[in-house]
Amino acid sequence: MDVDRRNFFRGAAVGAAGTALTGGVLIGGARVDARAAQRSEPTEESSYPFDGQHQAGILRPATKQPSASFTAFDVTAKTRGELIALLKTLTDRARMLTRGGPVTDTGVGGPPLDSAVLGGAIPSDGLTVTVAVGSSLFDDRFGLKKLAPLRLTPMTVFPNDFPDPAWTGGDLLVQLCANNPDTIHHAIRDITRHTRAGMQVRWKIQGYNSPPRPTGTPRNLLGFKDGTANPTNAESQQLIWVDDPAEPAWTHGGSYQVVRLIRMLVEFWDRISINEQEGIFGRRRDSGAPLDGNVENDTPDYGADPDGRIIPLDAHIRLANPRTPDTANQRIVRRSYNYDLGVDPNGNIAAGHIFVAFQQDIRRQFEAIQTRLIDEPLVDYVQPFGGGYFLALPGVTDSTDWYARQLLS
């Protein structure tokens, strides 16, 4: 890789992350398929249970919920009692929004109870609300320090990262996923309206997933299929739920969540050859097959290619998942989305990837993988700039339960 080109790419990315994103460039260029705009009445198939051992929106395939948003909040509640009230309100709003139903207005004399973005009745529309806590919640404000999750820390900054404080961290993270973007907009607007006294938005980003093109796994904005090697549902159960006896008991049934906001330098990426792109990923761009395979779900045979003659030794898929017995328990469940923030002040496209992963142990899983990816060839075309580490709370078990009850009771 030419050194001057590398520095040029990095300079462009830093400017975009540090200036355009902090300046709040609005999402642009969104187009909605006319068929998706024809909303049907809520059905049993379009709603997911809110109550349960685990929160919804963790194992649900992201492809079944193509619209999403990730909003980090700073808690402004002053006392433990106010924090409890906040989380009870958040639970009530999440339960109502995911269930859907009619809205009763107050009449013309007062503010409406609902924005009416979705009309007179709220459709469930496949909405899930997943709430997670950051390490900053366990400071001295609420007496929670001794109950902090064992493996929850501020997000590690890796080489090739350029974190922007305005897009990093947060006491709480609210992940919303649904069938349509107006459902996401309606939900976050409702939640912020009812919780403004207890928490304030720190950062927010909207995401989307495309349908498979033409088949298989959807593609990221670099044009490659993304998430092909995700563990199956049975494997996922062994990799994501917190169950370590050393962890505080209230965390059991939760999952450590990593969110990384990654700018993709799509215009520079488009200038390199397909052969170079495929070597960087280790997969065919058209089919998603590994370079030593024929179809997307073929398993790469690294043992038959020890020198990297077919799949380069520094290819993304080879570093991320070496497929050895020693790295089997390092796999993560990915649930990522694309984003588009329009353009930066230099006129470059400000788009990329919302990397989302769930696991039992961030150090054992995500950080082990990310350490192997340091200085991979792909770093010339991507720029991580924000996100955070969180603990997705255990599920709300029934109508008398609420988010983080076992932590705060």
Side-chain angles (χ1 to χ4, degrees):
M1 175 62 63
D2 182 86
V3 174
D4 292 337
R5 185 171 72 167
R6 174 177 293 214
N7 290 335
F8 176 72
F9 288 173
R10 286 185 177 171
V14 172
T19 304
L21 295 175
T22 304
V25 178
L26 296 177
I27 295 175
R31 295 183 178 180
V32 179
D33 190 290
R35 290 169 298 179
Q38 298 174 353
R39 185 184 303 280
S40 60
E41 289 300 312
T43 64
E44 195 66 26
E45 290 74 26
S46 68
S47 64
Y48 304 118
F50 179 75
D51 297 334
Q53 180 183 5
H54 309 296
Q55 290 193 77
I58 295 177
L59 281 183
R60 185 78 49 195
T63 53
K64 295 186 180 299
Q65 296 176 294
S67 296
S69 75
F70 300 83
T71 308
F73 292 87
D74 292 325
V75 171
T76 56
K78 301 299 184 185
T79 67
R80 191 184 184 101
E82 289 180 2
L83 176 61
I84 290 172
L86 167 66
L87 290 167
K88 286 182 175 180
T89 299
L90 183 55
T91 305
D92 290 342
R93 301 318 298 170
R95 179 179 280 111
M96 185 280 293
L97 291 165
T98 55
R99 181 181 63 237
V103 176
T104 302
D105 214 336
T106 56
V108 296
L113 296 179
D114 187 74
S115 65
V117 168
L118 301 178
I122 300 171
S124 53
D125 197 35
L127 176 68
T128 57
V129 181
T130 307
V131 176
V133 293
S135 62
S136 55
L137 187 68
F138 298 88
D139 56 15
D140 295 325
R141 288 173 292 173
F142 308 111
L144 301 177
K145 186 173 292 186
K146 292 182 179 179
L147 294 171
L150 186 64
R151 297 171 173 85
L152 186 60
T153 66
M155 185 170 64
T156 298
V157 178
F158 288 90
N160 313 121
D161 290 356
F162 291 87
D164 182 340
W167 287 86
T168 304
D171 295 328
L172 294 175
L173 178 76
V174 176
Q175 169 190 291
L176 302 174
C177 301
N179 298 334
N180 292 287
D182 56 346
T183 298
I184 298 297
H185 173 87
H186 174 270
I188 194 62
R189 193 162 155 185
D190 181 278
I191 288 170
T192 55
R193 173 179 178 173
H194 287 88
T195 60
R196 190 167 300 278
M199 65 183 189
Q200 296 291 322
V201 174
R202 182 179 181 88
W203 55 263
K204 173 183 176 292
I205 195 163
Q206 198 103 346
Y208 68 93
N209 269 329
S210 302
R213 302 189 188 278
T215 59
T217 307
R219 297 175 184 270
N220 60 35
L221 296 186
L222 298 183
F224 282 74
K225 292 178 178 292
D226 196 284
T228 298
N230 236 5
T232 64
N233 189 55
E235 294 172 317
S236 299
Q237 300 287 345
Q238 308 303 316
L239 292 168
I240 66 172
W241 304 124
V242 175
D243 60 3
D244 186 345
E247 289 274 14
W250 71 266
T251 66
H252 291 190
S255 183
Y256 284 100
Q257 181 175 11
V258 173
V259 177
R260 297 236 309 166
L261 310 181
I262 304 173
R263 171 79 180 271
M264 289 179 166
L265 308 181
V266 294
E267 292 161 295
F268 300 122
W269 177 257
D270 291 343
R271 298 175 190 174
I272 66 175
S273 71
I274 292 178
N275 284 344
E276 186 174 352
Q277 291 180 0
E278 291 181 338
I280 288 172
F281 271 105
R283 290 189 179 275
R284 301 292 180 197
R285 192 175 73 161
D286 56 357
S287 66
L291 296 181
D292 64 350
N294 298 306
V295 297
E296 178 185 349
N297 290 315
D298 281 347
T299 300
D301 187 353
Y302 301 138
D305 182 29
D307 299 321
R309 295 177 182 271
I310 301 174
I311 300 178
L313 298 179
D314 58 2
H316 183 79
I317 66 166
R318 192 162 190 160
L319 294 174
N321 185 3
R323 297 177 182 271
T324 67
D326 290 340
T327 60
N329 72 346
Q330 296 174 0
R331 291 175 300 161
I332 53 181
V333 173
R334 294 185 55 187
R335 210 171 181 284
S336 301
Y337 287 83
N338 300 319
Y339 76 82
D340 189 339
L341 292 172
V343 296
D344 65 22
N346 296 320
N348 296 314
I349 294 174
H353 194 66
I354 307 170
F355 173 93
V356 182
F358 293 94
Q359 62 252 280
Q360 290 177 326
D361 184 334
I362 291 175
R363 179 173 294 181
R364 186 191 88 208
Q365 293 170 272
F366 169 75
E367 290 195 347
I369 294 169
Q370 193 60 39
T371 298
R372 289 195 296 270
L373 293 173
I374 291 173
D375 287 335
E376 64 167 326
L378 188 60
V379 300
D380 289 314
Y381 306 96
V382 298
Q383 180 65 64
F385 65 88
Y389 291 170
F390 303 91
L391 187 283
L393 295 169
V396 176
T397 56
D398 56 41
S399 60
T400 65
D401 198 7
W402 40 275
Y403 290 127
R405 178 182 59 83
Q406 292 186 26
L407 167 65
L408 290 163
S409 295

